[in-house]
């Protein structure tokens, strides 16, 4: 599914947080957004995912303008079409890793297909190399393991669009590579994947690189 | 263990109160030449209080949950007795201004009701827990 | 598993405990103060009914004792010649008058408690009759009595006094004073009762055994006449040394002191109410920050606000209701059985609440408590709805 930022910008008390951006992200492409700290990478991602409203411009997903969407429709979009991997590892403290991974299915009341989602969750955890951690609690996991669990959670509903904010920051090279490879594999299934990072390693997996500061698109 | 200790302590305190309320804390009027109904109620409550304390000690010493559930079930019946003695069985003086009616009886009602609630809750808790444990064992 | 996790999400132990305890205390206090409040109000109303007389004529020097008869319903033993009553009847400005005779503190056979015996005149009475709640006999003869609400009858609707059985002709409503523990005879029974008392070994003073004596005359003044003037007229016509008590004046004083208790009660309950509400809000704000990221996560994975409220606040609704019921019951457990004692301590007429009132109050308090639980738990959700889920996800300081 194509996602398009149309003249999107963000201002807060006269301070420009995100300069106006025009960019289209295509299906089957992994786009890496780069730029110095404070150039508004995270803000752009939040706006693209509909987690924040831009002060000007709008976002289109497919043919739909999501900026003016009603709460219910937006929630539906978040549940089924968008996977978001936040910069911070946020997990339910009192639930196991496996339970955390299927949280989107829980929120969407998918009781009927519980088995399928559990199977899928274990598949993801297995592929990401943390299957043996599935019954542990979040506090028992390392930062890299938590990040991989969060990725599994973002992918559990098989969203058309995956948005990842600094997915490799603070991780060792092996784990970072594993996460990037997994996202590249996901892109190969015809999905739209957007990563904001200043980790150069990500460039090796990118189909498109977008420099936010100079508003330039490179095809890798 | 925490539950066992707490419940045992509650039972022992309740038992002590059942003894102390008619004698010291909210006493019935002193027995003059003529022994009134409240006097016999007081004597009976001393005995009942002793049984309640005894049950409390038993709960503390016995580990088996089903036995403890049984004790709590009987404790509930005894709690009813705490109130029933002044209300019906041995009775009280007939005037509402008398000490036994104005003070002792309400005090016993409060203890009796609280003891009843705790015992029934404890019985249900232990009974349900026991059933669940067994179920878990069977299914394991 | 989904069901289990959903349950887990709804149950936040910390939040429940911090909600239950304050709501529990609040409900207990609220219930207790409302019960005592309405009890006292009802008592004052009764008082007005009891003060059915403008003047109460008593022997000279017994003014204070007579005053306490009115305010507390305690009985005194003081005596006048009956002629005072006859004179009062003839005095100008007297609309109605009725005599009473008090025999204080006699042991009854039912138990060795004291029963207060009052003799009255049914024909002219306007003091006792308004209180009668259950009438068994149209006319009370000399073998019958009217009893106060706390006198327990024996089987067959009788009561035994000094070895003789009397049929209960009527029973009075609860006044919350020692009127409740009185037995009312007509003057016709006076000789029999006093003889029985003497035969049973009760000590009676010479005055008490004299015939043609009374303790007091209750007088209602005709419209347009001054109360104290009417009393002066009676005083001037009799050779007896008499004094007067103005029941309505005393009633006013009681109302004033009850008002004092009211305002103290209201102040205490208002202060606790406000305090606990503030505590609840503070606790919920702390919990809001604690759960902020968790709740934001729900939003990120596609939960609507309604769903979030369902998950986060429904529990608080039930916990609040549970706290309300438990607190209300605890309040009831203390205030209702101890009602008589409270009345005695306050020296106030205090009839407890009716069963229906109690249940109604319990329901109201439960609803309020559930509402408080729900509303205060909305605070975290409301605060989050003010900021974007993305912002809420941030750890403070990031």
């Amino acid at each position: 599914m194509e996602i398009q930022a149309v003249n999107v910008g963000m201002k807060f008390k006269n301070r420009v947080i995100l300069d106006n951006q025009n960019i289209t992200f295509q299906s089957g492409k992994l786009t890496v957004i780069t730029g110095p700290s404070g150039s508004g990478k995270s803000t752009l991602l939040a706006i693209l995912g509909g987690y924040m409203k831009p002060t000007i411009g709008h976002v289109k997903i497919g043919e739909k303008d999501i900026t003016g969407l009603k709460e219910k429709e937006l929630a539906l979009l978040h549940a089924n079409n968008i996977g978001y991997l936040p910069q911070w590892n946020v997990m339910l403290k009192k639930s196991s890793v496996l339970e955390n991974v299927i949280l989107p299915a829980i929120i969407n009341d998918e009781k009927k297909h519980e088995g399928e989602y559990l199977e899928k969750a274990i598949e993801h955890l297995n592929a990401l190399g943390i299957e043996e951690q599935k019954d542990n609690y979040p506090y028992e996991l390392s930062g890299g393991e938590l990040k991989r669990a969060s990725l599994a959670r973002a992918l559990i509903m098989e969203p058309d669009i995956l948005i990842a904010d600094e997915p490799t920051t603070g991780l060792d090279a092996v784990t970072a590579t594993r996460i990037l490879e997994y996202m590249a594999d996901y892109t190969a299934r015809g999905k739209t994947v957007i990563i904001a990072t200043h980790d150069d390693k990500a460039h090796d997996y990118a189909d498109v690189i977008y420099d936010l500061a100079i508003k330039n698109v490179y095809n890798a | 263990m925490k539950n066992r200790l707490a419940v045992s302590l509650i039972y022992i305190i309740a038992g002590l109160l059942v003894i102390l309320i008619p004698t010291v804390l909210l006493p019935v009027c002193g027995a003059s030449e003529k022994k009134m109904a409240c006097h016999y109620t007081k004597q009976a409550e001393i005995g009942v209080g002793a049984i309640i304390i005894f049950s409390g000690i038993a709960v503390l010493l016995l580990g088996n949950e089903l036995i403890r559930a049984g004790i709590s079930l009987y404790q509930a019946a005894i709690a009813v007795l705490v109130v029933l003695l002044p209300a019906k069985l041995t009775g009280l003086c007939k005037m509402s201004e008398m000490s036994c009616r104005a003070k002792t009886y309400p005090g016993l009602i409060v203890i009796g009701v609280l003891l009843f609630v705790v015992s029934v809750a404890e019985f249900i808790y232990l009974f349900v827990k026991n059933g669940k444990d067994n179920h878990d064992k069977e299914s394991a | 598993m989904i069901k289990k996790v959903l349950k887990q999400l709804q149950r936040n132990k910390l939040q429940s405990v911090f909600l239950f305890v304050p709501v529990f205390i609040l409900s207990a206090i609220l219930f207790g103060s409302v019960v005592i409040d309405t009890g006292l109000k009802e008592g004052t109303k009764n008082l007005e009914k009891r003060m059915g007389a403008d003047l109460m004529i008593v022997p000279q020097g017994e003014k204070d004792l007579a005053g306490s008869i009115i305010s507390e319903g305690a009985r005194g033993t003081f005596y006048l010649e009956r002629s005072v009553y006859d004179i009062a009847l003839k005095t100008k400005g007297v609309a109605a008058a009725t005599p009473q005779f008090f025999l204080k503190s006699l042991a009854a056979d039912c138990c060795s408690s004291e029963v207060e015996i009052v003799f009255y005149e049914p024909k002219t009475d306007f003091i006792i009759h308004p209180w009668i709640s259950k009438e068994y006999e149209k006319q009370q003869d000399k073998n019958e009595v009217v009893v106060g609400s706390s006198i327990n009858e024996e089987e067959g609707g009788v009561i035994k006094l000094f070895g003789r059985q009397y049929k209960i002709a009527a029973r009075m409503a609860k006044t919350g004073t020692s009127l409740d523990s009185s037995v009312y005879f007509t003057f016709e029974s006076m000789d029999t009762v006093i003889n029985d008392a003497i035969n049973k070994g009760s000590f009676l003073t010479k005055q008490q055994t004299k015939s043609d004596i009374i303790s007091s005359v209750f007088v209602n003044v005709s419209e347009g006449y001054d109360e104290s003037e009417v009393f002066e007229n009676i005083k001037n016509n009799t050779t007896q040394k008499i004094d007067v008590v103005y029941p309505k004046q005393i009633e006013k004083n009681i109302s004033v002191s009850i008002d004092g208790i009211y305002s103290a009660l209201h102040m205490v309950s208002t202060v606790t109410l406000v305090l606990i509400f503030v505590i609840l809000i503070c606790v919920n704000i702390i919990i809001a920050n604690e759960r902020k990221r968790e709740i934001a996560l729900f939003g990120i994975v596609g939960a609507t606000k309604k769903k979030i409220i369902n998950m986060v606040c429904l529990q608080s609704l039930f916990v609040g209701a549970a706290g309300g019921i438990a607190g209300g019951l605890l309040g009831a457990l203390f205030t209702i059985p101890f009602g008589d004692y409270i009345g005695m301590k306050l020296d106030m007429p205090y009839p407890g609440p009716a069963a229906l009132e109690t249940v109604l109050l319990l329901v109201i308090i439960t609803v309020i408590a559930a509402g408080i639980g729900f509303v205060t738990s909305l605070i975290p959700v409301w605060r989050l709805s003010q900021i974007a889920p993305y912002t809420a996800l941030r750890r403070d300081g990031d």
Side-chain angles (χ1 to χ4, degrees):
Chain A
M1 206 177 259
E2 210 177 71
I3 177 164
Q4 195 180 0
V6 183
N7 199 30
V8 162
M10 187 80 174
K11 263 185 191 171
F12 183 72
K13 288 181 184 165
N14 289 331
R15 196 163 68 92
V16 177
I17 292 169
L18 178 68
D19 202 14
N20 295 7
Q21 304 289 340
N22 282 293
I23 179 174
T24 304
F25 304 89
Q26 277 154 357
S27 309
K29 293 269 165 75
L30 191 155
T31 308
V32 170
I33 299 174
T34 63
S37 300
S39 57
K41 295 190 295 286
S42 296
T43 307
L44 177 61
L45 290 194
I47 291 170
L48 286 172
Y51 302 114
M52 203 183 240
K53 281 206 162 47
T55 36
I56 50 164
H58 59 269
V59 174
K60 271 170 83 179
I61 291 184
E63 288 306 306
K64 210 186 257 170
D65 182 352
I66 67 159
T67 319
L69 232 44
K70 278 189 192 132
E71 195 222 347
K72 219 173 171 181
E73 293 170 294
L74 197 61
L76 218 60
L77 200 69
H78 287 153
N80 298 317
N81 301 107
I82 300 173
Y84 181 63
L85 180 60
Q87 189 173 348
W88 309 279
N89 294 321
V90 184
M91 295 258 157
L92 302 179
K93 288 177 215 145
K94 287 172 203 154
S95 303
S96 71
V97 169
L98 188 61
E99 287 164 348
N100 264 292
V101 170
I102 61 162
L103 179 70
I106 292 168
I107 296 288
N108 286 296
D109 249 344
E110 295 279 2
K111 277 179 208 145
K112 265 191 218 152
H113 308 289
E114 182 178 334
E116 285 169 40
Y117 285 106
L118 282 174
E119 234 168 73
K120 217 182 284 172
I122 290 171
E123 243 170 65
H124 281 304
L125 292 176
N126 205 358
L128 287 161
I130 49 167
E131 201 215 337
E132 66 278 13
Q133 299 275 23
K134 71 178 164 58
D135 294 321
N136 288 343
Y137 286 90
Y139 65 87
E140 294 171 298
L141 269 63
S142 72
E145 287 166 333
L146 280 175
K147 186 62 83 185
R148 281 178 276 172
S150 301
L151 179 59
R153 183 181 61 205
L155 296 178
I156 191 78
M157 304 301 287
E158 287 196 35
D160 301 316
I161 299 158
L162 173 68
I163 296 171
D165 197 352
E166 303 280 4
T168 58
T169 308
L171 301 184
D172 62 273
V174 178
T175 310
T177 307
R178 188 156 208 169
I179 286 175
L180 288 169
E181 270 173 3
Y182 206 69
M183 288 184 181
D185 289 349
Y186 195 68
T187 317
R189 288 165 60 186
K191 309 287 186 180
T192 313
V193 177
I194 307 165
I195 304 173
T197 183
H198 43 242
D199 184 356
D200 288 343
K201 220 183 290 109
H203 297 185
D204 301 343
Y205 300 88
D207 300 308
V208 180
I209 299 169
Y210 181 67
D211 191 319
L212 207 56
I214 54 174
K215 301 182 186 175
N216 210 342
V217 178
Y218 308 88
N219 283 312
Chain B
M1 190 64 211
K2 231 156 105 193
N3 163 278
R4 199 163 121 199
L5 195 69
V7 169
S8 154
L9 211 65
I10 291 172
Y11 286 173
I12 291 173
I13 291 171
L16 279 174
L17 285 173
V18 168
I19 294 176
L20 291 178
I21 282 176
T23 52
V24 183
L25 299 176
L26 304 164
V28 299
C29 33
S32 48
E33 333 74 68
K34 199 176 160 198
K35 294 260 191 302
M36 293 180 271
C38 54
H39 172 76
Y40 298 107
T41 297
K42 178 180 81 182
Q43 303 290 69
E45 293 286 4
I46 292 173
V48 171
I51 295 174
I52 295 172
I53 295 174
F54 183 76
S55 311
I57 295 170
V59 165
L60 190 66
L61 298 180
L62 297 172
N64 187 305
E65 286 186 350
L66 271 184
I67 292 180
R68 275 158 53 208
I71 292 175
S72 286
L73 188 63
Y74 270 89
Q75 196 76 293
I78 295 171
V80 173
L81 191 63
V82 167
V83 178
L84 219 53
L85 274 170
K88 274 266 162 336
L89 300 177
T90 48
L92 294 167
C93 304
K94 306 238 157 159
M95 315 284 308
S96 57
E97 283 76 26
M98 302 290 290
S99 173
C100 55
R101 271 201 190 272
K103 295 195 280 182
T104 317
Y105 184 40
L108 288 173
I109 291 177
V110 170
I111 297 302
V113 171
L114 290 179
L115 181 62
F116 182 81
V117 170
V118 171
S119 342
V120 170
E122 170 74 353
F123 169 72
I124 293 171
Y125 169 73
L126 287 176
F127 202 74
V128 168
K129 190 170 164 232
N130 203 275
K132 220 179 181 180
D133 287 352
N134 281 346
H135 183 78
D136 287 353
K137 258 180 233 156
E138 276 162 26
S139 56
Chain C
M1 185 188 262
I2 286 184
K3 259 191 182 160
K4 186 192 130 209
V5 178
L6 268 180
K7 257 190 192 158
Q8 249 172 13
L9 291 180
Q10 282 160 0
R11 280 188 201 148
N12 186 306
K13 237 185 191 164
L14 187 80
Q15 197 171 0
S16 304
V17 170
F18 276 109
L19 175 64
F20 184 85
V21 173
V23 168
F24 177 73
I25 297 170
L26 180 75
S27 308
I29 291 173
L30 211 63
F31 188 95
S33 53
V34 171
V35 163
I36 293 175
D37 195 288
T38 46
L40 288 179
K41 239 176 225 155
E42 201 57 36
T44 334
K45 238 196 262 161
N46 285 351
L47 213 60
E48 281 162 23
K49 244 204 281 181
R50 187 167 77 232
M51 303 311 145
D54 293 327
L55 306 177
M56 177 183 179
I57 295 168
V58 295
Q60 203 165 46
E62 302 289 358
K63 226 174 156 156
D64 292 342
L65 189 54
S68 75
I69 293 178
I70 290 159
S71 61
E72 290 155 41
R75 297 257 178 253
T77 41
F78 41 72
Y79 300 100
L80 288 166
E81 276 180 23
R82 200 183 173 90
S83 61
V84 177
Y85 167 58
D86 300 327
I87 288 163
L89 275 180
K90 286 176 207 150
T91 306
K92 226 178 153 193
V94 171
T98 187
Q100 283 192 0
F101 177 93
F102 308 144
L103 206 54
K104 196 203 174 205
S105 306
L106 290 176
D109 292 343
C110 53
C111 63
S112 44
S113 64
E114 290 171 347
V115 165
E116 321 227 351
I117 294 175
V118 176
F119 296 92
Y120 78 110
E121 207 173 72
K123 222 172 31 194
T124 54
D125 171 69
F126 55 90
I127 303 289
I128 293 162
H129 205 79
W131 284 102
I132 287 177
S133 63
K134 264 190 215 152
E135 203 166 29
Y136 304 109
E137 302 285 332
K138 272 262 155 62
Q139 266 186 333
Q140 184 183 356
D141 67 25
K142 62 184 218 170
N143 296 317
E144 290 169 345
V145 290
V146 170
V147 295
S149 68
S150 69
I151 300 281
N152 290 320
E153 60 189 59
E154 287 162 38
E155 274 186 41
V158 295
I159 179 173
K160 218 171 176 189
L161 274 169
F162 308 122
R164 195 182 293 271
Q165 269 194 351
Y166 296 93
K167 203 160 180 255
I168 294 174
R171 184 171 279 279
M172 285 165 68
K174 192 175 158 95
T175 63
T177 68
S178 69
L179 286 183
D180 293 345
S181 56
S182 302
V183 174
Y184 301 86
F185 286 93
T186 65
F187 276 103
E188 286 179 326
S189 325
M190 201 160 150
D191 288 342
T192 328
V193 174
I194 286 180
N195 279 334
D196 285 348
I198 294 167
N199 290 340
K200 282 280 168 182
S202 298
F203 174 77
L204 296 182
T205 61
K206 247 189 193 157
Q207 243 191 335
Q208 283 174 319
T209 55
K210 244 165 50 183
S211 59
D212 274 357
I213 58 157
I214 53 177
S215 294
S216 158
V217 181
F218 292 91
V219 174
N220 268 346
V221 174
S222 307
E223 227 171 291
Y225 283 87
D226 183 62
E227 287 164 10
S228 52
E229 239 171 70
V230 172
F231 170 67
E232 285 304 320
N233 288 343
I234 297 171
K235 197 177 175 183
N236 293 338
N237 290 339
T238 176
T239 52
Q240 294 261 309
K241 289 186 167 148
I242 56 169
D243 232 332
V244 71
V245 177
Y246 300 100
K248 290 209 170 127
Q249 189 63 42
I250 292 166
E251 171 206 317
K252 221 183 246 166
N253 293 343
I254 291 179
S255 293
V256 167
S257 77
I258 285 188
D259 280 345
I261 295 172
Y262 276 157
S263 35
L265 205 65
H266 288 165
M267 215 169 74
V268 168
S269 41
T270 311
V271 166
T272 32
L273 209 133
V274 170
L275 220 69
I276 286 179
F277 209 74
V278 168
I279 291 173
L280 272 176
I281 289 174
C282 290
V283 165
N284 271 286
I285 287 173
I286 294 169
I287 289 170
N289 287 330
E290 180 105 334
R291 295 194 80 178
K292 189 171 83 175
R293 306 176 82 214
E294 192 182 302
I295 293 170
L297 183 61
F298 297 155
I300 296 247
V301 300
T304 54
K305 226 170 266 165
K306 201 174 141 200
K307 208 166 226 164
I308 291 175
I309 289 173
N310 247 330
M311 283 194 292
V312 181
C313 303
L314 218 56
Q315 169 203 241
S316 300
L317 183 87
F318 290 121
V319 171
I325 292 176
L329 285 177
L330 189 81
L333 192 55
F334 277 93
T335 45
I336 294 173
F338 279 106
D340 282 335
Y341 187 54
I342 293 168
M344 277 160 69
K345 275 276 156 201
L346 293 174
D347 267 343
M348 291 291 157
Y350 176 82
L356 189 71
E357 279 169 17
T358 309
V359 172
L360 199 70
L361 183 59
L362 208 59
V363 170
I364 292 171
I365 284 183
T366 306
V367 171
I368 292 175
I372 289 177
F374 189 72
V375 169
T376 51
S377 73
L378 270 179
I379 294 171
V381 181
W382 176 79
R383 269 169 66 104
L384 276 173
S385 68
Q386 303 297 100
I387 48 175
Y390 167 74
T391 322
L393 265 192
R394 277 166 182 264
R395 211 175 275 122
D396 295 326
D398 271 343

